[in-house]
Amino acid sequence: MLQRKLIENPWCFWGYIKGGGSIVENEMEYKKLQSEMNLFYNKFHRYVDDIKPSVLEKGQVCAVYCQEMKSWCRAVVKSIISCTDYYLAECFLVDYAKSVPVKTDRICVALESFMRLPYRAMKFRLYGTKPATLRVNYYNDKAKIVPANRWDIAAIHYFQNLLNATTKVEAKLCAVEEDSFDVDLYVTIKEEKICVNDDLLAKKFAFYEAPKSTTISAVEDQKRETPLSLEPLSEEINPALVLWPMLLQAKETKAFETCEYDRSASQMNRQDGGYAFRPAVLNKNIEPCLSLETAPLFPTLKKELLRNQFPGPNHVQSYSWPPIARGCDSVIISPENDPLLYLLPIITFLQSRSCYVSLPARSGPVALILCPGQKKAELVFEFLETYSRCSRPIHPILLLLGTNKEEIQSIRIPRGCEVLITTPYTLLRLLEYHSLLFLRLCHLVLDEIDVLFAEANIEIFRILEYYKTALNVEEKESAPQQIVAIGRHWSKNIEHLTKEFMNDPYVVITSMEEAAIYGKVQQVVQLCLECDRISTLLQSLDFTPTNVQKTLIFTSSVEETDIIYKAVESTSIFCLKMHPDIGFHFDYVLEQWKKKFSSGTHVVLVLTDDCIRTLGITDATRVVHFSFPASPRIFGARLYSLSDNFQNSPNAKSILLLTEKSAPHAVGVMHYLKRTETNIPPELCNFTSGVLEAKEDRKKGRPLCRYLKAYGGRRLIKNIGGAHTGVLPRELQHSFSHVFSLFQILPLFIVDATNYFGRIVSKQKDPYAALADEVNAFYKKAKNLVPADPLEKLAVYGLREENTFHRVQVLEVPPKGENSVFYSVHIKYIDEGRFGQVQNYKLLYLPEQFQALPPQAVEFIVCRVKPIDNEVEWNPKVTRYINQMIRGKPHEAKIVLALGNTIWVDPVVRVTRLLDLKTSINEYNIRSKILSTGMGTDNPEHISELQKLYRDAETVQEEKELPKVFHHPSSSQPFPMQTFCP
């Protein structure tokens, strides 16, 4: 429906759309925008010069105060009038289609965050019409109607009277011109619908004008029968851009990207991004920040962010920053795990020194950030160092300690350090010897809280208990007390955290599938054959509910919707349907759904996913996934329909129908259901294990996971079967069958503390030493220093580094079109195992006789030692320590296992031979040296685990497996395993 506003002529009349439709912005959005503008400009327009326009020009977009409406509005300056002692600007209010005079002191700069919505008032013109006028020929005393360039006064009056007399105005969009919508206009007068375009043609006020070839008319191809059609406009037509502020049209794409979060902040049921979920049980009234200008950050930090071209705040940041910056306990659950979600507001809060006056005058951090591992801790520290430079000095420190007691006891936190970044294990070691170090602690941040609870559950609760006890100190009664938890997944432990350790927490959940777990939505899985879906669906419906029950059944197509609608309707349940092909039925469906029903009534709505956003339903009690959701985003959007019943478990249920066609999604469904504590059918467990086995079978031939090689484990059994890659030195191939053989190894490239690349040195005659001498002798002659051209991928060349020549293999060559005279190529040193970049002209032609010896680089892994605290990466200082100790030095090693080009060694000892005394001394054992740093721990099961995996893999390969089948409990027909393989 079209709400008429300013009517100039049939080619220029203004209005805005009321009702449904894909291009119609929700009326509440405009009210919210109006409220935000009033709140902002009423507060700042008199005192902040930055929001006053430096120059006022015709056509400029601005914010003006309308005296008649007592409100700030978006406007375009049409003209400027000079009065005696002030200036007046004639401004066109783009959301109300009216011109008003405004004093220039009531005109402000329009912030980009206030331009996130298209102008509400839209300019329309009648489609396919051309003005007509009466031309009189006085010479022959004749008159005739001819085309004109402007509308006749009589036509304008008739058009205006027609629109003023109507009770309802409707429009069908036909095309989009430069700055207006071309429409077929329909008015209803005395219950009679009239097409205004045809009426003007019939009364000779206009001629029909065929559309120009340049006119965008893709709308007709979409067969838009009504303005309520749910079909989106063609990508060629973007009505929002037609009426978008001119100052933003020059950067269309950027405008839409930066405004996306603004729209999402006020649309809680959007399908194309995240969701901000604010449970009703939480009573803080904190509005999201929709732009960097309104973000709760101190001014210097904002300037730093602008200087760094910071794109935010995004949807999650706009909801998480305000409560954290105010010192509220907060839980942020989002797929986005960016430290800036909490770092920037924490830095802002720390600027208020007066908040910490009552704290003890001693050293110790005010804020503590706990990360699940050293890698994340290092990332957080880098961010904190970057953005704390523009604040008062807070001297952040990254602390990662091992088990060395002397090192822990010697630790001293310097005075002035206000933020400490560490891990739970390091913190507990520190508390053991420095229990008074955290008497000043006010802010506790738990980064990746779901990972922390999964990997260090006991340690986290010990820390929380300590924090809770420390709060009872009398000196901290007036100091801030805040816990912030950031994670990807909601869990029972997080719920316990909010109830036992937080005070009225603010919860933000941007993933609706996680919000459903928070809301305790009951998940039910129904296994059935594809052909039995409808009967299984009908069996799952409650025909005699005690209370009012509202059920949504989601389908994947219009045809499916019609079939399910007829099936449900045949059971005498009150049933509705909705899909994109239905137009005016939209209002009827919503009206029926929102009616107040008596107890025992069951209302069912069958719909497609296209309708979720348009209907905006949030009070459903049941959701049935007749068709499997196409993505987690769609699944979350469906679950949002239950959001009014979150935390009300009996009244919120999600029923998922799984068939043999759901195999690609089975594993994901299983993982999700385990987190919801749903009773999972044993058949689904068996079925999922079969799918996982099939996936693992396809991994054969891939190299072993490096973590499995380095530390052992049970997760990648099938990888062993395809891990025999790489070529060993020929003279050693037979020796590798003899496990526990002693060899001399030469580590040349140190990956980390236990993983090296190097060569096995023969004690009799070393073929590589002889080759190296020959290569060096060959290249000493200047005539042999021939640059290789052209370069070929995987070919072997010579490379000079200082006074040594190496054999290198080219791994990547730039495409021919990008080649210039000089360019870089990616190479591998095939006798050392390291990689590098080198200029093409440095590679030398290498004769065939020097390529005959196979690559000598072998991977060595030191056994029975791993990083402490469940880390998967070695601490860099341990790697540096080992690198300085062993690189380029021969060591005696016992080979305990060999697979492909990888050799596991234990022990590895540096032996010094005293020739005069005819004896030798063991200088050190590498494993013992690693353990002595305190950053490593014993890993006794390392080799036994790898050997067992190897034996299991061999057994599986030799066995001839029978086809696995999956039986449904209510069916005698099996599902072949092959059918379920994605």
Side-chain angles (χ1 to χ4, degrees):
M1 183 188 296
L2 188 69
Q3 177 78 29
R4 60 192 181 280
K5 299 300 287 184
L6 180 64
I7 304 169
E8 295 183 12
N9 59 57
W11 272 2
C12 183
F13 57 99
W14 297 79
Y16 56 85
I17 298 175
K18 297 183 69 176
S22 60
I23 65 171
V24 183
E25 295 290 343
N26 191 316
E27 190 170 345
M28 294 304 296
E29 284 194 72
Y30 286 96
K31 289 183 179 179
K32 183 177 177 64
L33 177 66
Q34 195 84 53
S35 173
E36 291 173 5
M37 290 180 66
N38 287 331
L39 186 66
F40 178 79
Y41 288 113
N42 286 338
K43 183 175 181 181
F44 294 113
H45 88 277
R46 293 181 183 274
Y47 312 106
V48 182
D49 292 336
D50 289 348
I51 64 173
K52 298 288 185 181
S54 55
V55 179
L56 203 58
E57 299 174 340
K58 183 179 178 181
Q60 186 172 342
V61 180
C62 54
V64 304
Y65 183 78
C66 177
Q67 190 67 36
E68 178 186 345
M69 301 171 61
K70 307 293 183 186
S71 176
W72 287 87
C73 307
R74 302 186 297 178
V76 174
V77 177
K78 294 179 69 177
S79 62
I80 301 174
I81 306 165
S82 175
C83 300
T84 307
D85 52 355
Y86 60 89
Y87 285 91
L88 273 180
E90 183 187 2
C91 298
F92 181 75
L93 306 184
V94 294
D95 294 321
Y96 300 96
K98 61 177 357 180
S99 293
V100 294
V102 182
K103 287 186 177 181
T104 53
D105 64 346
R106 288 300 184 96
I107 299 178
C108 294
V109 172
L111 300 184
E112 191 164 336
S113 61
F114 296 142
M115 291 296 168
R116 64 181 183 267
L117 298 179
Y119 296 156
R120 192 181 184 195
M122 301 179 181
K123 184 179 177 182
F124 297 90
R125 55 179 281 166
L126 296 186
Y127 178 72
T129 60
K130 183 173 179 62
T133 188
L134 186 66
R135 179 178 294 173
V136 179
N137 190 328
Y138 292 100
Y139 292 101
N140 54 20
D141 200 22
K142 290 183 179 179
K144 63 178 180 178
I145 297 174
V146 296
N149 292 324
R150 59 184 180 179
W151 289 94
D152 192 82
I153 297 296
I156 294 174
H157 285 170
Y158 178 79
F159 179 66
Q160 291 173 338
N161 292 337
L162 204 59
L163 292 186
N164 290 330
T166 185
T167 56
K168 185 178 181 181
V169 182
E170 296 171 288
K172 175 185 174 184
L173 180 61
C174 299
V176 177
E177 289 290 352
E178 293 179 355
D179 62 347
S180 63
F181 296 120
D182 284 12
V183 296
D184 285 340
L185 195 66
Y186 299 88
V187 297
T188 303
I189 301 176
K190 296 179 181 180
E191 299 184 357
E192 180 185 358
K193 184 179 283 190
I194 302 171
C195 177
V196 178
N197 305 55
D198 295 341
D199 195 43
L200 289 180
L201 293 172
K203 290 183 169 51
K204 304 296 184 181
F205 285 123
F207 285 99
Y208 175 74
E209 181 182 43
K212 298 176 182 178
S213 59
T214 57
T215 302
I216 302 173
S217 57
V219 183
E220 292 184 0
D221 296 336
Q222 299 175 32
K223 299 181 181 178
R224 295 176 55 88
E225 297 298 332
T226 72
L228 298 180
S229 172
L230 299 178
E231 286 290 339
L233 287 173
S234 165
E235 291 182 0
E236 296 179 9
I237 300 178
N238 200 333
L241 275 181
V242 174
L243 300 174
W244 205 263
M246 294 304 295
L247 65 92
L248 298 180
Q249 285 195 24
K251 44 179 182 176
E252 295 173 2
T253 306
K254 184 178 178 182
F256 273 92
E257 291 173 353
T258 56
C259 290
E260 188 67 33
Y261 64 85
D262 288 330
R263 294 197 292 277
S264 67
S266 57
Q267 287 185 350
M268 308 296 278
N269 61 333
R270 59 183 295 228
Q271 300 178 42
D272 56 345
Y275 296 81
F277 182 70
R278 183 65 196 279
V281 295
L282 308 178
N283 54 19
K284 291 188 183 67
N285 183 23
I286 299 180
E287 291 296 322
C289 56
L290 301 179
S291 67
L292 198 55
E293 290 84 355
T294 59
L297 308 176
F298 65 99
T300 315
L301 181 55
K302 289 182 184 179
K303 290 180 181 178
E304 178 71 13
L305 291 171
L306 289 171
R307 190 176 65 82
N308 293 337
Q309 298 182 337
F310 180 71
N314 58 27
H315 181 59
V316 189
Q317 291 165 345
S318 67
Y319 275 87
S320 60
W321 285 359
I324 297 174
R326 295 189 188 185
C328 303
D329 287 343
S330 305
V331 177
I332 316 297
I333 303 297
S334 169
E336 176 186 328
N337 218 338
D338 185 359
L340 295 185
L341 284 179
Y342 61 85
L343 279 182
L344 300 183
I346 289 283
I347 294 173
T348 298
F349 197 99
L350 290 174
Q351 305 310 303
S352 306
R353 296 193 185 203
S354 58
C355 295
Y356 309 104
V357 171
S358 63
L359 296 177
R362 54 175 295 134
S363 63
V366 172
L368 173 66
I369 301 175
L370 288 181
C371 301
Q374 65 179 26
K375 233 178 177 181
K376 186 60 181 286
E378 289 166 357
L379 176 66
V380 171
F381 180 67
E382 288 175 12
F383 273 113
L384 195 55
E385 273 200 319
T386 300
Y387 290 104
S388 63
R389 290 173 189 153
C390 58
S391 75
R392 70 176 182 83
I394 58 177
H395 304 293
I397 286 181
L398 171 63
L399 193 60
L400 298 170
L401 297 174
T403 55
N404 193 314
K405 294 181 180 180
E406 291 76 16
E407 182 186 9
I408 300 172
Q409 289 174 341
S410 64
I411 285 293
R412 295 290 180 269
I413 303 295
R415 184 176 290 273
C417 167
E418 298 196 11
V419 183
L420 179 67
I421 303 104
T422 187
T423 65
Y425 298 100
T426 292
L427 178 62
L428 289 176
R429 293 187 195 108
L430 203 58
L431 288 174
E432 189 176 346
Y433 296 95
H434 302 276
S435 57
L436 302 179
L437 189 60
F438 298 100
L439 290 180
R440 291 170 50 85
L441 186 61
C442 297
H443 309 273
L444 175 61
V445 179
L446 304 170
D447 196 335
E448 295 192 46
I449 182 63
D450 46 339
V451 179
L452 288 172
F453 275 133
E455 298 182 354
N457 184 46
I458 297 173
E459 290 76 11
I460 290 297
F461 278 117
R462 281 180 59 191
I463 293 167
L464 288 169
E465 288 292 347
Y466 171 83
Y467 178 77
K468 190 176 181 179
T469 305
L471 292 180
N472 296 326
V473 179
E474 184 178 349
E475 296 167 309
K476 298 180 71 173
E477 286 183 356
S478 60
Q481 302 169 4
Q482 182 184 35
I483 298 178
V484 177
I486 314 292
R488 288 188 173 92
H489 303 297
W490 183 267
S491 67
K492 261 193 165 184
N493 285 327
I494 298 178
E495 184 178 0
H496 182 70
L497 168 68
T498 60
K499 291 180 178 178
E500 297 297 325
F501 300 98
M502 289 185 170
N503 179 28
D504 192 17
Y506 189 95
V507 179
V508 175
I509 302 179
T510 65
S511 169
M512 281 313 301
E513 44 279 31
E514 296 303 320
I517 297 176
Y518 166 89
K520 295 183 171 62
V521 173
Q522 184 182 353
Q523 300 286 346
V524 178
V525 179
Q526 295 280 2
L527 296 174
C528 63
L529 293 167
E530 183 73 17
C531 58
D532 294 334
R533 274 197 302 166
I534 295 180
S535 60
T536 306
L537 165 69
L538 296 178
Q539 291 170 16
S540 67
L541 298 178
D542 189 352
F543 292 92
T544 57
T546 306
N547 302 314
V548 176
Q549 193 170 121
K550 293 184 171 184
T551 301
L552 296 177
I553 302 176
F554 287 98
T555 63
S556 59
S557 65
V558 173
E559 295 75 16
E560 213 173 55
T561 302
D562 293 332
I563 293 170
I564 301 306
Y565 171 74
K566 291 175 182 177
V568 175
E569 194 178 40
S570 67
T571 63
S572 300
I573 292 179
F574 179 47
C575 188
L576 303 164
K577 69 175 178 178
M578 190 66 191
H579 54 69
D581 288 355
I582 299 177
F584 288 102
H585 193 58
F586 166 83
D587 288 331
Y588 170 76
V589 169
L590 270 185
E591 180 186 345
Q592 294 299 314
W593 181 268
K594 292 179 179 179
K595 278 184 178 179
K596 290 187 177 180
F597 297 98
S598 58
S599 297
T601 305
H602 192 174
V603 183
V604 175
L605 173 58
V606 187
L607 70 162
T608 58
D609 293 317
D610 311 63
C611 307
I612 298 176
R613 184 175 181 178
T614 308
L615 290 172
I617 292 173
T618 58
D619 62 343
T621 58
R622 297 285 187 278
V623 165
V624 181
H625 309 273
F626 183 79
S627 67
F628 201 90
S631 67
R633 178 178 59 83
I634 295 297
F635 182 58
R638 292 178 177 183
L639 293 178
Y640 180 76
S641 306
L642 301 164
S643 58
D644 287 357
N645 291 302
F646 282 0
Q647 296 279 348
N648 188 8
S649 188
N651 290 335
K653 184 182 287 186
S654 168
I655 301 173
L656 193 62
L657 302 185
L658 283 181
T659 71
E660 65 271 23
K661 291 186 177 180
S662 308
H665 314 285
V667 177
V669 170
M670 271 287 292
H671 289 323
Y672 183 77
L673 293 178
K674 285 178 181 177
R675 296 178 49 236
T676 62
E677 299 183 353
T678 301
N679 291 326
I680 303 172
E683 297 81 10
L684 180 60
C685 296
N686 297 335
F687 163 48
T688 307
S689 65
V691 173
L692 285 172
E693 286 182 12
K695 286 184 176 179
E696 290 297 333
D697 280 335
R698 291 201 300 274
K699 292 180 182 178
K700 288 182 179 180
R702 297 183 187 177
L704 269 177
C705 165
R706 76 182 190 93
Y707 300 112
L708 179 63
K709 290 194 294 185
Y711 314 126
R714 296 285 302 166
R715 291 181 294 176
L716 297 173
I717 295 177
K718 299 298 177 178
N719 278 6
I720 301 284
H724 297 271
T725 57
V727 180
L728 292 170
R730 184 177 301 167
E731 70 279 3
L732 297 174
Q733 288 177 357
H734 299 293
S735 302
F736 277 1
S737 59
H738 304 289
V739 181
F740 303 111
S741 300
L742 281 172
F743 287 96
Q744 189 175 76
I745 67 171
L746 183 65
L748 296 170
F749 173 54
I750 312 302
V751 179
D752 58 36
T754 58
N755 190 1
Y756 329 126
F757 282 88
R759 294 195 299 273
I760 294 179
V761 181
S762 176
K763 294 181 180 179
Q764 285 78 35
K765 182 181 178 181
D766 186 0
Y768 177 75
L771 174 70
D773 291 339
E774 292 177 15
V775 170
N776 284 322
F778 175 77
Y779 284 123
K780 276 186 178 180
K781 299 177 181 179
K783 66 177 181 178
N784 294 330
L785 297 174
V786 180
D789 187 43
L791 298 180
E792 296 181 10
K793 186 176 180 179
L794 301 182
V796 178
Y797 301 97
L799 175 66
R800 179 175 182 174
E801 285 186 348
E802 296 180 352
N803 295 322
T804 307
F805 291 89
H806 302 272
R807 296 191 303 171
V808 298
Q809 183 180 40
V810 173
L811 301 180
E812 201 65 47
V813 179
K816 290 184 178 180
E818 299 178 11
N819 281 4
S820 56
V821 178
F822 303 116
Y823 53 90
S824 292
V825 291
H826 187 44
I827 61 168
K828 178 182 179 180
Y829 295 76
I830 62 174
D831 299 315
E832 294 185 12
R834 59 190 172 102
F835 299 86
Q837 293 280 342
V838 69
Q839 290 291 309
N840 62 309
Y841 65 87
K842 291 185 177 181
L843 296 179
L844 306 173
Y845 170 73
L846 185 69
E848 289 290 336
Q849 67 265 26
F850 298 140
Q851 300 183 32
L853 186 69
Q856 298 293 291
V858 178
E859 182 181 22
F860 303 110
I861 295 177
V862 177
C863 302
R864 296 190 303 117
V865 64
K866 64 181 179 180
I868 59 172
D869 304 340
N870 296 323
E871 292 281 359
V872 294
E873 303 278 358
W874 283 100
N875 190 297
K877 68 180 182 182
V878 182
T879 300
R880 285 195 298 270
Y881 172 66
I882 296 299
N883 181 52
Q884 293 170 1
M885 182 185 298
I886 72 171
R887 186 183 174 196
K889 300 175 183 177
H891 291 71
E892 299 291 332
K894 182 182 288 185
I895 298 176
V896 295
L897 183 67
L899 186 65
N901 203 39
T902 302
I903 300 171
W904 285 263
V905 287
D906 183 36
V908 182
V909 181
R910 169 69 170 163
V911 178
T912 301
R913 288 182 171 76
L914 304 175
L915 298 179
D916 295 339
L917 300 178
K918 297 183 179 180
T919 187
S920 59
I921 299 174
N922 294 346
E923 287 189 34
Y924 56 80
N925 181 316
I926 291 181
R927 178 176 174 275
S928 300
K929 283 292 184 180
I930 294 173
L931 291 173
S932 69
T933 64
M935 304 303 291
T937 186
D938 193 27
N939 184 18
E941 306 298 324
H942 186 179
I943 291 300
S944 60
E945 285 287 343
L946 286 171
Q947 288 172 336
K948 188 174 188 311
L949 289 174
Y950 184 50
R951 288 193 298 270
D952 290 346
E954 282 188 326
T955 303
V956 170
Q957 286 181 345
E958 291 172 1
E959 291 177 353
K960 186 175 181 180
E961 294 184 315
L962 294 174
K964 297 183 179 179
V965 295
F966 164 52
H967 290 271
H968 185 266
S970 62
S971 172
S972 60
Q973 297 181 354
F975 293 155
M977 187 61 216
Q978 294 88 326
T979 306
F980 277 78
C981 292

